[in-house]
Amino acid sequence: MFIKHGLLPLVSLLCYTGARAYVWPGPYDLLEDEYTVSTVLGDFIEPCSAPVLPGIRLAAAEWLRTAYHDMATHNVSTGLGGLDASIGFETDRPQNIGSAMNDSLNFFVSLQSRTSSMSDIIALAAVLVVKSCGGPGIPYRPGRIDATEAGPATVPEPQQDLATHISMFASQGFNVTEMIGLVACGHTIGGVHQVDFPFTIENSITDSNPDGIVHFDDTFATFDNHIASQWISGQSVDPIAVGFNATTNSDARIFAADGNATMSGFASNPDHFQSQCGSLFERMVNTVPNSVHLADVLEPLPVKPHRLSLAVTDGSLVLAGQIRIFSTSAEAAAASPDDMPVTLRWTDRNGKTNATYAASLTADFPPTTSLWGSLYFFNAKIVLDAGLGISSFVIDYAFDPSSPLIHGDNGGGGFPLQDIAFFQSNQFCTNITTGDTSVTAMIRNDMGPIGDAYIEYTFGVSQPGTVVLRQVTVRTALTRVGNSSLPLYDEYTALLDLGGFPTITNIVTDLVAEIGQKTYTDVFTLSPGFC
Ligand code: HEM
Ligand SMILES: *[C@@H]1O[C@H](CO)[C@@H](O)[C@H](O)[C@H]1NC(C)=O
Ligand SMILES: *[C@@H]1O[C@H](CO)[C@@H](O)[C@H](O)[C@H]1NC(C)=O
Ligand SMILES: *[C@@H]1O[C@H](CO)[C@@H](O)[C@H](O)[C@H]1NC(C)=O
Ligand SMILES: *[C@@H]1O[C@H](CO)[C@@H](O)[C@H](O)[C@H]1NC(C)=O
Ligand SMILES: *[C@@H]1O[C@H](CO)[C@@H](O)[C@H](O)[C@H]1NC(C)=O
Ligand SMILES: *[C@@H]1O[C@H](CO)[C@@H](O)[C@H](O)[C@H]1NC(C)=O
Ligand SMILES: *[C@@H]1O[C@H](CO)[C@@H](O)[C@H](O)[C@H]1NC(C)=O
Ligand SMILES: *[C@@H]1O[C@H](CO)[C@@H](O)[C@H](O)[C@H]1NC(C)=O
């Protein structure tokens, strides 16, 4: 595993406007980053066999099971329930036995924010798991909303009979063929733990297997059709198919529910298994309450600013951070980032371009990986002429110095960046002595009277009975501190009231400044750090 880039803070300026192809900044930048770079989740599921310490449970298998158990509260007749993070309130039910549900949520909670609901993270984790384990790429759509209470107790259990399972899956929106598919696709990784299913598994707890796991198939950390081929060839090792206790052999009843037709199809055709699992899991993660409307499919942006922000530093206006470049092309895979020409060209505050408004960026090492393609980061540290400023930029780049340049213009309009009112992101931190979290902002002082200047910040607070955080939004005024080190800018600050010492949660903060007749906004997401 290569070293991952810190996901946060990531900065984005100006309001998101409208429903074109996804551009930066957008409402799902944090999820897009985690989808593409997988900074937080990646290490735990790459490789697929990565264990949850200190046991030998696989994070990948736990996360996939968690996604199904959360979804399983959906009822097609009422349109209620689905993948909505209600699982957090349901962990003490026998049907969710084991440490998997809270383990998973505890992994995910550090990613929660105003723009990344727990349910979106559960779905994203399932998508990343399937890909990391060698399964299909599942289209990912964000926009899920977290439940505020438990759903019905409708997760299947192995001791229930086939008729019960058929009707439960029908209620969730899946017919018999699809039920067989979902169970086979789910049970291609991981296994059953004796500590949680003592009536199903015996004599499997040892020093090296403290939870007494028995795997579903011989390739328990690979998303492949062995669950089906072993079943059809009579060599299944699945403890809830061929286990000693016939009552809990639900996989056997389900796999044979159509006379083994679906399982035979999977066994004889690995590609068919992959494509069926892909479409079934896509439906699984998109099974949400009817009141929820998912956004368009999110895919890696080819060019995206990463932790890139303006700052007033030592008397200069500086644009610093990184540019992320992604591609699925063979040329990109073969690229050596040190040789890639990457130029940031900006437009000044008056909308003018100039050949001199350009800076070449240098490769950042070591390179990072993506499950979806090639990913390179380039460092920017550009001292701007504060009098001329900046309003947007583009990135011209190539994967090979001899190839024609690709124009990275963010869907046509360039990457917007306003320099009138912005967070001084390198001063957004929690004072280690006092515990106070404050933000600093810079606002131009020659643009007319400042009508209103405030921040609105959203952070997670714990709620009883679930690991999932509830998001709270607070507004507070920015107060002028005084001159900055640049005559054009004044420094402003605001103290955040996080109700005590901040948790590990991300804080999404909007800045709004009404200056003259115009409103300027900036948004900044940070995971608190100390200063
Ligand atoms: C009738 C339906 C189902 C029954 C009765 C059932 C039952 C079980 C049981 C008893 C376990 C063992 C859990 C443990 O010991 O930690 C398990 C594990 C698992 N199930 Fe299912 N399951 C069903 C459907 C599904 C579906 C549709 C999925 C799809 C995602 C799925 C995914 C998983 C995964 C990935 C594991 C492995 C967990 C681990 O290794 O930690 N299951 N299932
Ligand atoms: C789904 O909702 C219908 C209508 O309220 C109800 O009759 C049915 O029992 C529910 N299904 C499950 C599995 O709870
Ligand atoms: C379930 O639905 C799929 C897709 O619509 C269909 O191909 C399949 O035949 C159905 N199975 C049953 C048992 O109705
Ligand atoms: C089989 O499992 C059922 C349901 O958990 C349990 O009631 C029964 O005692 C088990 N039988 C044996 C032989 O362990
Ligand atoms: C389905 O496959 C299982 C396992 O190979 C086998 O025991 C069973 O007889 C098969 N059922 C049918 C109806 O073919
Ligand atoms: C571009 O910038 C240079 C140096 O600042 C300046 O001399 C030149 O006039 C500018 N060109 C245009 C077309 O504005
Ligand atoms: C999961 O965590 C929640 C919140 O802390 C807690 O109420 C619940 O009992 C935990 N569940 C399990 C199975 O430990
Ligand atoms: C702050 O800036 C204003 C205008 O640029 C200037 O008149 C004033 O002397 C400065 N104050 C300090 C304390 O530097
Ligand atoms: C933290 O707060 C203390 C006490 O108010 C103050 O002396 C110190 O300068 C602050 N540290 C930073 C980095 O702002």
Side-chain angles (χ1 to χ4, degrees), residues 174-180 258 262 276 283:
F174 298 93
N175 69 21
V176 170
T177 316
E178 293 159 348
M179 169 184 74
I180 298 165
D258 63 357
T262 299
Q276 287 298 108
R283 278 180 56 198

Side-chain angles (χ1 to χ4, degrees), residues 388-435:
L388 293 167
I390 186 170
S391 56
S392 72
F393 61 87
V394 295
I395 303 291
D396 288 324
Y397 65 102
F399 292 105
D400 186 276
S402 57
S403 300
L405 289 176
I406 303 167
H407 191 55
D409 62 3
N410 198 32
F415 297 90
L417 193 70
Q418 59 86 3
D419 62 4
I420 311 297
F422 55 85
F423 282 116
Q424 180 86 352
S425 57
N426 56 4
Q427 288 176 29
F428 195 161
C429 53
T430 299
N431 185 310
I432 194 136
T433 314
T434 61

